[in-house]
Amino acid sequence: MNEITVAELKKWRDEGKEFQLIDVREPFEYEMSNIEGENIPLASVVLEADKISKDIPVIMQCRSGARSAAALNQLQNLGYTNLYNLKGGILAWAAEIEPGMKVY
């Protein structure tokens, strides 16, 4: 499984690199705090796979990295090869990039 750190994600953003960020948490979690990814809850990832790019890097993100890893595995089974798991999820983002972010 390919992983990306929050520092690498921030660098990609700062450089304007093209990628898609998918947040697989539940909507109530996303509303509390997010890093502007598209919210597709884990239970819907396979059903909504048509919303997920196969042409550019796709970063899967959740609270800590476990659900996004599960989502990544589901999509790999559908033939996706362009996926990255955000190591540590939004907790790592809040700890390393945006310390004032509200997390749970």
Side-chain angles (χ1 to χ4, degrees), residues 30-41:
Y30 183 86
E31 288 171 18
M32 182 181 301
S33 58
N34 67 74
I35 53 177
E36 300 173 3
E38 184 175 347
N39 187 215
I40 303 175

Side-chain angles (χ1 to χ4, degrees), residues 3 13 23-24 38 51 72-73 75 79 81-82 84-85 101:
E3 287 192 316
R13 278 190 167 169
D23 187 326
V24 300
E38 184 175 347
K51 295 181 179 178
L72 191 148
N73 286 331
L75 291 169
T81 59
N82 57 326
Y84 296 83
N85 189 34
M101 177 180 274

Side-chain angles (χ1 to χ4, degrees), residues 39-73:
N39 187 215
I40 303 175
L42 175 58
S44 302
V45 163
V46 171
L47 296 172
E48 298 189 44
D50 60 326
K51 295 181 179 178
I52 301 171
S53 179
K54 288 188 172 183
D55 302 327
I56 59 173
V58 175
I59 301 167
M60 308 301 291
Q61 175 253 311
C62 66
R63 180 175 183 262
S64 66
R67 282 179 282 176
S68 52
L72 191 148
N73 286 331

Side-chain angles (χ1 to χ4, degrees), residues 8 37 49 60 70-71 74 99:
E8 290 168 320
M60 308 301 291
Q74 290 176 13

